[in-house]
Amino acid sequence: MKVLQFGRTGQVATAVQAAARESVEVTALSRAECDLENAEQIREAIREADCDLVLNTAAFTQVDPAEARPDEAFTVNAIAPDVMAEACAARGLPFVHLSTDAVFDGVTDRPYVETDEARPINAYGRSKLAGEQAVLAHPRTVVLRVSWVFSRYGRNYVSFMLRLARERDVLRVVADQFGSPTDGEALAAFLVATAPRWAGAPADDPAFGLFHFANAGETSRFDFAKAAIDRDPQARARIEPTTQAAFAEPAPRPPRSPLDTAKLRAVFGFEPEPWRAAVERTADRLIASGLAV
Ligand SMILES: NC(=O)c1ccc[n+]([C@@H]2O[C@H](COP(=O)([O-])OP(=O)(O)OC[C@H]3O[C@@H](n4cnc5c(N)ncnc54)[C@H](OP(=O)(O)O)[C@@H]3O)[C@@H](O)[C@H]2O)c1
């Protein structure tokens, strides 16, 4: 089983390479090897790859810079995945892509299901929604929406909060934003385990299409951070709740965007772990490694 992966240094990219080991051979392309702003480089990479499946983990993921550079975000998050899906279709290869809860406006009284209308409220969300729609127009494509991804790898919310809690006396964390944390290592393990099914499935298989992938349960940014920081004996910051409005970031965030994963369970039999257990385990591992990520 061979996978061509766009993205090599990112959080999920690294987690997939760690999960793959012997079962799946992953060829991961860095930005230097394939720039997602260069469509011809993408086409050439897929045309020449010896692989059974293509996975895109690369994206323009910086939510605030995307407000200032929407064209660049759109090129990387919408045009590049469209080019990938088209090149995969030309070779009959399945294509797996990642998206985000940021496609929703966050005005909801329940977790979002895949059929809920997406109404992004920032440039990042708009670019990712356009990418989803372009990808899903091609056959044998998968879009997994994930949210609040954390892991032992890359720069992510858990590792960032742990570090800040050691450096600062007071740490103010947003308490009025709610969502579903996603264990990036569980995501990587799922991608690796499911790759052979996607590789062998016909276009009408229910394994293709749009899915939500997240840990079970919903939490606030504040409780998410606190669950990790409470594990660290060296944390010294006092954690205080604040509001999104007080942070005044350039890009608005959806206030509540938990993801319902019932479709994932029905199609793949995947049972997401409750978010707190996964956050605590990841925090323990990061702390044991001296917060070296
Ligand atoms: N992290 C989250 O909380 C979160 C939440 C929801 C959805 N997602 C989605 O999950 C996926 C993976 O996210 P992640 O957390 O792994 O992101 P990440 O750690 O920020 O990694 C993004 C990767 O994309 C690469 N990239 C960016 N622009 C590129 C370009 N022009 N050409 C080639 N490579 C480029 C980056 O390369 P460089 O290292 O060279 O910059 C990096 O390796 C993305 O689709 C993201 O939208 C993430």
Side-chain angles (χ1 to χ4, degrees):
M1 178 73 216
K2 293 177 180 170
V3 173
L4 174 68
Q5 176 176 292
F6 290 95
R8 181 173 185 157
T9 55
Q11 176 183 198
V12 175
T14 309
V16 171
Q17 291 167 87
R21 306 272 153 110
E22 280 125 48
S23 58
V24 172
E25 193 183 310
V26 176
T27 302
L29 301 179
S30 67
R31 186 194 292 254
E33 290 160 319
C34 182
D35 187 341
L36 266 56
E37 292 190 67
N38 186 327
E40 198 37 50
Q41 280 185 10
I42 297 170
R43 287 191 196 97
E44 191 184 331
I46 293 175
R47 215 169 31 231
E48 292 180 359
D50 172 19
C51 69
D52 309 295
L53 178 143
V54 176
L55 167 65
N56 180 29
T57 63
F60 189 115
T61 54
Q62 302 153 276
V63 177
D64 290 321
E67 283 312 290
R69 287 145 56 202
D71 293 347
E72 192 183 331
F74 195 84
T75 301
V76 175
N77 290 344
I79 296 173
D82 187 23
V83 171
M84 289 175 197
E86 191 176 16
C88 285
R91 281 196 54 188
L93 290 168
F95 177 55
V96 180
H97 178 65
L98 299 174
S99 192
T100 170
D101 59 307
V103 298
F104 294 115
D105 64 10
V107 181
T108 182
D109 57 4
R110 56 160 175 77
Y112 283 109
V113 294
E114 289 81 352
T115 47
D116 283 331
E117 190 188 347
R119 271 190 302 260
I121 57 172
N122 57 39
Y124 169 70
R126 283 189 288 276
S127 69
K128 292 294 289 185
L129 178 61
E132 292 184 353
Q133 291 168 341
V135 166
L136 291 169
H138 296 279
R140 299 185 80 215
T141 54
V142 183
V143 173
L144 293 182
R145 284 188 187 138
V146 298
S147 58
W148 299 15
V149 182
F150 65 94
S151 68
R152 281 177 291 169
Y153 307 110
R155 187 185 152 100
N156 65 75
Y157 191 73
V158 167
S159 60
F160 187 51
M161 288 293 133
L162 285 171
R163 204 161 315 131
L164 288 184
R166 285 188 181 185
E167 290 167 8
R168 294 193 182 169
D169 297 323
V170 178
L171 184 56
R172 291 191 182 85
V173 186
V174 170
D176 61 355
Q177 192 190 350
F178 300 88
S180 316
T182 302
D183 178 351
E185 292 171 69
L187 170 66
F190 173 80
L191 290 167
V192 168
T194 315
R197 174 165 174 190
W198 284 316
D204 61 353
D205 194 291
F208 294 116
L210 177 63
F211 297 91
H212 289 174
F213 187 108
N215 281 97
E218 173 181 343
T219 185
S220 66
R221 283 275 179 198
F222 181 85
D223 285 332
F224 183 20
K226 196 166 180 309
I229 293 166
D230 280 351
R231 306 296 288 182
D232 188 4
Q234 290 184 56
R236 63 186 189 91
R238 192 174 69 250
I239 314 169
E240 291 182 354
T242 185
T243 62
Q244 278 199 75
F247 255 83
E249 293 163 307
R253 266 67 171 176
R256 186 170 178 219
S257 53
L259 299 176
D260 181 301
T261 56
K263 187 182 174 197
L264 188 80
R265 200 176 294 118
V267 173
F268 298 102
F270 183 84
E271 201 60 55
E273 182 182 20
W275 70 267
R276 185 179 294 277
V279 168
E280 290 179 351
R281 181 178 59 250
T282 303
D284 289 350
R285 288 174 173 175
L286 283 165
I287 293 159
S289 70
L291 300 192
V293 286

